[in-house]
Amino acid sequence: MNKTDNLPSESELLALLKKQYDELEDGLVYGKAGLTIYYACLSEKDPTYKTIYNKLINDMLSKVSDRTPIEFPRGLLGIAFALDVIMHYFKPGNPDNVLDDLDAVIYKSLFKESNKQPIDMNLAVEALFYFSLHLKLGIRSKVKHRIYADKAMRLLNVINFSLPVNYFQEAIPYNIFNRSFFLLYAIGSLYEQGIGQQRIEHICTDLSFPLASAMPLMQFNKLGRLFSMTRLISLGCTKEQHWKDQCRLLRSSLSLEKLFNEELGGKQLGLSDGLTGAMLLMAGTNHYSERPLFDLPWDYYKKKICQYTILTTMADKEVPFYQHGLNWLWGMKMALALETRKEPFRF
């Protein structure tokens, strides 16, 4: 995460963070939870950053309560996921103890006491995404792992039975973190861990028609769907030929020229709905494909983010600070680590 070309240095990012710290929210994509991951990684290599890491994590946790929204990008699900990532990769800790109260709040919020049905389909899918990664990265106790594997499969079954016909209808405006991404990624993560594999294979068969009948038109959405489906095929969740046929159709109809020059032609550079997200989706698709499908345009990416970031974002005091979080400058530096350091793909 060192200075690359004209990108802000770590000291410049830290100065910006300190200047606008009071306006920073607490969530994963736009706030303190995401930046906590960033500085947890940085502080392992340079003790200078331990102070800001400690401040971020203490402030974030001090504000968490049962009144915090549950949703993933800005709420409890993302905060809990950030803690899992930190304790798995960077800072020793036991998620079974740290996240026990958060897990209870999250699970309780999903179901009505009367009929045990999810109160909201989108919330249920985001929670399934968290549970699938919590099982992979966080839970240490074998007993708790069995309990949460059962909870995750129970939740997946409820979602599958309740899924609206138009569930995979194209997301507008486009965003990586949409309900299709959460559901398909969670299914793959559970299968990868050996959880409910036979049931998941049947569910993937059930999903094949809704997916085929809701092919996206926007280039960004095509790329997101291609990534999700390629990952499921790679993990073995589905063995039907028509899944591969759908992926070929998506790739053949995907125009990178339109994606870069039209949909992402201006200042659309962020992680969730911009050029950074597109680069990560292409890198992920390459990772899960039998052979690379994209020649990743890193030089183009560097040029675009350096031109806009240093000349506009850093100098513009009116830019909302949520654009500077993991979704923006810090996320760009992490994305570049894939190319500059050849770090393993973890998306």
Side-chain angles (χ1 to χ4, degrees):
M1 294 179 195
N2 296 324
K3 187 176 176 68
T4 303
D5 297 331
N6 292 322
L7 271 179
S9 66
E10 299 298 347
S11 60
E12 288 172 322
L13 287 180
L14 193 56
L16 178 64
L17 175 59
K18 289 179 178 179
K19 182 179 180 181
Q20 303 197 43
Y21 189 87
D22 291 341
E23 284 73 48
L24 188 64
E25 59 181 81
D26 299 312
L28 175 70
V29 179
Y30 308 101
K32 291 176 184 174
L35 292 177
T36 301
I37 296 176
Y38 186 91
Y39 286 106
C41 175
L42 216 58
S43 66
E44 288 300 282
K45 303 167 186 176
D46 185 345
T48 303
Y49 296 97
K50 286 186 177 180
T51 300
I52 186 62
Y53 164 74
N54 289 331
K55 180 175 177 59
L56 282 163
I57 198 164
N58 289 334
D59 287 355
M60 177 184 70
L61 291 176
S62 69
K63 294 182 180 178
V64 171
S65 70
D66 56 7
R67 293 189 295 274
T68 305
I70 301 294
E71 57 98 15
F72 188 82
R74 285 190 154 102
L76 284 180
L77 291 169
I79 291 170
F81 171 74
L83 292 170
D84 265 341
V85 170
I86 289 167
M87 286 182 278
H88 184 82
Y89 290 110
F90 307 119
K91 305 286 185 181
N94 188 341
D96 293 339
N97 298 327
V98 176
L99 292 173
D100 199 43
D101 290 341
L102 284 183
D103 286 344
V105 171
I106 290 168
Y107 194 75
K108 183 178 179 181
S109 71
L110 290 173
F111 296 94
K112 297 178 181 178
E113 292 300 322
S114 57
N115 57 13
K116 298 296 182 182
Q117 293 297 305
I119 58 174
D120 179 89
M121 177 62 72
N122 291 338
L123 177 61
V125 170
E126 291 185 24
L128 180 69
F129 176 79
Y130 165 66
F131 287 156
S132 71
L133 292 173
H134 190 33
L135 284 160
K136 182 177 180 179
L137 301 178
I139 296 176
R140 309 283 174 80
S141 164
K142 292 182 179 180
V143 173
K144 185 173 181 179
H145 194 279
R146 286 197 298 270
I147 291 172
Y148 268 78
D150 179 69
K151 286 182 176 182
M153 287 306 300
R154 185 171 156 227
L155 184 56
L156 176 57
N157 281 319
V158 171
I159 290 169
N160 185 53
F161 287 129
S162 309
L163 209 63
V165 175
N166 64 345
Y167 186 80
F168 294 105
Q169 183 177 338
E170 184 166 30
I172 300 176
Y174 53 79
N175 192 309
I176 286 179
F177 304 111
N178 58 48
R179 58 191 189 181
S180 173
F181 171 85
F182 284 124
L183 178 58
L184 297 180
Y185 200 99
I187 287 172
S189 294
L190 292 170
Y191 191 91
E192 184 182 25
Q193 297 171 69
I195 298 171
Q197 288 186 330
Q198 187 174 15
R199 177 62 183 140
I200 286 174
E201 289 175 6
H202 289 305
I203 289 174
C204 285
T205 299
D206 292 342
L207 294 180
S208 60
F209 178 74
L211 283 166
S213 61
M215 295 291 280
L217 298 176
M218 301 180 75
Q219 306 304 313
F220 194 93
N221 288 337
K222 287 181 182 180
L223 181 57
R225 179 71 63 83
L226 178 62
F227 165 75
S228 295
M229 295 188 70
T230 300
R231 181 172 178 267
L232 288 177
I233 292 170
S234 171
L235 295 173
C237 302
T238 178
K239 299 172 177 62
E240 293 97 338
Q241 180 61 37
H242 58 81
W243 278 72
K244 293 183 179 180
D245 293 340
Q246 282 194 50
C247 286
R248 278 195 289 271
L249 179 60
L250 283 165
R251 179 64 188 96
S252 64
S253 64
L254 174 61
S255 169
L256 295 184
E257 181 179 358
K258 287 185 178 179
L259 175 65
F260 291 144
N261 296 331
E262 295 179 19
E263 291 185 7
L264 307 177
K267 299 176 181 179
Q268 204 82 1
L269 303 175
L271 167 63
S272 63
D273 59 355
L275 185 58
T276 301
M279 292 296 295
L280 290 177
L281 287 171
M282 286 191 291
T285 304
N286 282 353
H287 175 78
Y288 289 111
S289 298
E290 294 178 356
R291 56 181 179 79
L293 299 182
F294 301 104
D295 183 11
L296 298 177
W298 286 111
D299 288 341
Y300 171 83
Y301 176 70
K302 290 178 189 177
K303 180 180 178 181
K304 288 289 290 185
I305 63 175
C306 289
Q307 282 178 343
Y308 177 66
T309 298
I310 197 65
L311 295 177
T312 306
T313 306
M314 295 294 288
D316 190 348
K317 296 180 181 180
E318 296 183 0
V319 173
F321 190 61
Y322 68 79
Q323 288 194 4
H324 296 285
L326 198 61
N327 194 51
W328 203 247
L329 294 176
W330 286 261
M332 292 175 188
K333 301 261 303 216
M334 294 181 77
L336 277 176
L338 284 171
E339 193 269 344
T340 57
R341 291 187 172 187
K342 309 300 181 186
E343 292 185 356
F345 182 79
R346 287 179 178 168
F347 183 33

